Amino acid sequence: MTNDLKQRSRSITDGRDQAPARAMYKAIGFTDADLAKPLIAVANTWIETMPCNFHLRRLSAKVKEGIRAAGGTPMEFNTIAISDGETMGTEGMKASLVSREVIADSIELVCRGQLFDAAVCIVGCDKTIPAAAMALARMNLPGLVLYGGTIAPGKYNGKDVTIQDVFEAVGANAAGKMSDAELLALENVACPGAGACGGQYTANTMSTVMELIGLSPMGFNGIPAMDQRKDEVSFRCGEIVMNLLRRDLRPREILTRAAFENAIAGVATTGGSTNAVLHLLAISREAGLPLEIDDFQRISERTPLLADLKPSGKYVAADVDAAGGIPVIAKRLIEGKHANGGAMTVTGRTFAEEANEARESAGQMVTGGLVILKGNLAPGGGVVKMSGHERASHTGPARVFDSEEAAMKAVTGKQIKAGDVVIIRYEGPKGGPGMREMLSVTAAIVGEGLGESVALITDGRFSGATRGLMVGHVAPEAALGGPIAAIREGDRVTIDTKVRKLELEISDAEISRRMAEWKPPEPHYKTGVFAKYAALVNSASEGAITSIAHLRHSKS
């Protein structure tokens, strides 16, 4: 039986009753010939507020050319996006994780409303990537994700630099180790053009995930933003999405258990962002798969660290492309029996078939990173990234802060000393709301020269650019009455990554006594999008997705 390529859009373009719809399409230039073809959504996350997504109009034009050449009719629409790097350390950062849900909702709404037959999602900054995957998983509509690509590294004093260096320079400046003029000079060269932040931070980590999980064509995402090859692969995405439609290959056939495990292995072997835990848990739930936080520990334990990438390593994402790209990493995972080669990808070929075409550059220097901690401080788990350079354990007195701003003030005010354990709470999905990233604080700690002697624990998140012994995603969060709310100034806290322990060194009885006296704080927002999000959001250990089921459960 022949697959009807217009089985969705036919009901909006065909027949007498749809004459008004056709009239409106014709008003903006579509012809009868256009409307007779499959309608393909081009979901573009372009926005003029950040370098990460600034160039996506150029790529969407190429994607649309490719769709037309392959026999489809593209229709582009836009979504919102929030810049993590620009909002970091401000109230605006609370919007970042919330935006993931809004982006996924908007893609789903337009695709369902306009009855598209397939979709290409063009993404850039951090939350746009998992949001696109979540939307495709929800709709189970033939489609793929194309990442806009990494920014080129900046040059400062003869070395490659990224936005991470600027964040850490703020702490160095506050400590008197860098002059105002030097800070300005670094600021002026760190980001030389369009593209997402240049290390194996969250955007490039999730770009890697999309290639290894099979939703992006392998080798496409890793090409840098301003490289001419990016235009070429954007065009080819048009052919690939039309082939997906002809084969009726859906996202949930790609997003299998094996695919998720391949993606987790990719995060571990590249020293990727802890945010990948949050986002993969969310995507799995949209795909109806029972992925759990402990799966990350199991897979990370068996996966060697391969890539020496920033923030803890030497190289940037563009160096990975020069070395042969993500396909080389995929090939190494297959060779080491750390990935399932039978997993399907959007090209219609298996993971192994794609990886076997990898071509590693001669003479390149680019060569498991995640640990899940549990204990009386984090019964639901906490996440730390180990990239081969961090201490394995730390015990010290708690320095307790109920907001990121309070912690930042203490760090830059030289109130944090060697040996301290900085606690930042009430920054979780519900408490923030929005689970802000703590890069401003962690980078300032490193810049102050305390990166090797201070640890940090939070129910918020970390940027992929964070380095050092930093534990995030602590669950349950403080706003839900998690034990992190019981910590008091000076309490001894132990982090031990070898035995995967996160402990508050007081008795369970004392924790219970303190929590019996605890009262939940007043919400920061009582109306609007943040209030809605706080009411609907699940725990970080569940991917911090929003759901009505969660709301009903909390009322029962």
Side-chain angles (χ1 to χ4, degrees), residues 53-169:
N53 300 47
F54 185 75
H55 62 302
L56 298 187
R57 278 179 165 175
R58 183 188 98 232
L59 302 187
S60 70
K62 293 297 181 181
V63 169
K64 289 190 287 185
E65 287 177 18
I67 291 169
R68 292 188 191 99
T73 295
M75 294 185 180
E76 183 179 5
F77 65 89
N78 223 87
T79 74
I80 59 98
I82 302 293
S83 169
D84 288 23
E86 292 168 358
T87 62
M88 196 73 67
T90 74
E91 188 78 358
M93 185 63 199
K94 292 181 178 181
S96 173
L97 189 58
V98 179
S99 77
R100 187 189 71 181
E101 311 306 305
V102 176
I103 296 161
D105 288 351
S106 66
I107 294 173
E108 179 189 8
L109 273 172
V110 177
C111 287
R112 291 192 190 279
Q114 295 296 140
L115 301 174
F116 285 118
D117 297 299
V120 177
C121 302
I122 308 174
V123 297
C125 192
D126 300 3
K127 306 310 169 292
T128 63
I129 308 172
M134 290 164 65
L136 289 176
R138 284 181 196 172
M139 299 183 295
N140 206 25
L141 185 74
L144 61 89
V145 177
L146 174 65
Y147 173 57
T150 182
I151 195 172
K155 290 285 186 182
Y156 181 73
N157 289 342
K159 296 181 180 180
D160 284 349
V161 292
T162 70
I163 194 67
Q164 170 196 350
D165 297 280
V166 184
F167 275 104
E168 293 182 4

Side-chain angles (χ1 to χ4, degrees), residues 416 424 426 510 517:
I416 303 302
I424 307 178
Y426 297 106
E510 176 61 13
E517 299 173 352

Side-chain angles (χ1 to χ4, degrees), residues 85-382:
E86 292 168 358
T87 62
M88 196 73 67
T90 74
E91 188 78 358
M93 185 63 199
K94 292 181 178 181
S96 173
L97 189 58
V98 179
S99 77
R100 187 189 71 181
E101 311 306 305
V102 176
I103 296 161
D105 288 351
S106 66
I107 294 173
E108 179 189 8
L109 273 172
V110 177
C111 287
R112 291 192 190 279
Q114 295 296 140
L115 301 174
F116 285 118
D117 297 299
V120 177
C121 302
I122 308 174
V123 297
C125 192
D126 300 3
K127 306 310 169 292
T128 63
I129 308 172
M134 290 164 65
L136 289 176
R138 284 181 196 172
M139 299 183 295
N140 206 25
L141 185 74
L144 61 89
V145 177
L146 174 65
Y147 173 57
T150 182
I151 195 172
K155 290 285 186 182
Y156 181 73
N157 289 342
K159 296 181 180 180
D160 284 349
V161 292
T162 70
I163 194 67
Q164 170 196 350
D165 297 280
V166 184
F167 275 104
E168 293 182 4
V170 171
N173 178 262
K177 298 177 180 180
M178 175 180 271
S179 70
D180 291 348
E182 289 171 322
L183 177 59
L184 178 60
L186 174 60
E187 171 189 329
N188 287 342
V189 299
C191 299
C197 299
Q200 193 67 345
Y201 312 148
T202 303
N204 285 316
T205 297
M206 292 309 297
S207 162
T208 301
V209 162
M210 289 299 104
E211 290 196 36
L212 298 183
I213 209 168
L215 284 183
S216 294
M218 200 175 287
F220 284 26
N221 287 355
I223 297 171
M226 303 310 291
D227 192 305
Q228 186 176 351
R229 292 174 297 148
K230 203 73 182 187
D231 291 14
E232 297 167 6
V233 298
S234 297
F235 181 90
R236 287 173 58 194
C237 282
E239 177 185 0
I240 292 170
V241 76
M242 290 304 294
N243 287 339
L244 280 171
L245 180 58
R246 291 186 180 99
R247 295 185 56 170
D248 199 26
L249 180 58
R250 313 285 188 92
R252 292 194 181 191
E253 296 173 70
I254 295 168
L255 294 172
T256 61
R257 179 79 188 192
F260 276 97
E261 295 203 356
N262 287 347
I264 295 170
V267 175
T269 202
T270 60
S273 169
T274 55
N275 281 316
V277 177
L278 193 75
H279 298 323
L280 280 165
L281 287 169
I283 296 165
S284 74
R285 277 147 182 77
E286 300 291 7
L289 276 171
L291 192 68
E292 302 299 334
I293 194 169
D294 290 337
D295 291 323
F296 291 83
Q297 180 63 43
R298 175 177 56 82
I299 295 165
S300 189
E301 280 180 351
R302 73 186 190 207
T303 308
L305 183 66
L306 176 66
D308 185 27
L309 298 172
K310 286 178 178 287
S312 296
K314 178 180 179 181
Y315 297 97
V316 296
D319 294 323
V320 177
D321 174 67
I326 300 305
V328 171
I329 291 171
K331 188 174 184 179
R332 295 282 188 90
L333 289 172
I334 288 287
E335 290 169 347
K337 296 182 171 37
H338 304 299
N340 186 320
M344 182 58 65
T345 75
V346 288
T347 62
R349 304 200 305 169
T350 66
F351 185 98
E353 288 171 330
E354 293 288 352
N356 285 339
E357 290 197 353
R359 296 292 178 267
E360 188 166 348
S361 302
Q364 63 89 5
M365 298 300 294
V366 178
T367 58
L370 298 174
V371 178
I372 306 301
L373 306 179
K374 290 190 175 180
N376 67 1
L377 186 49

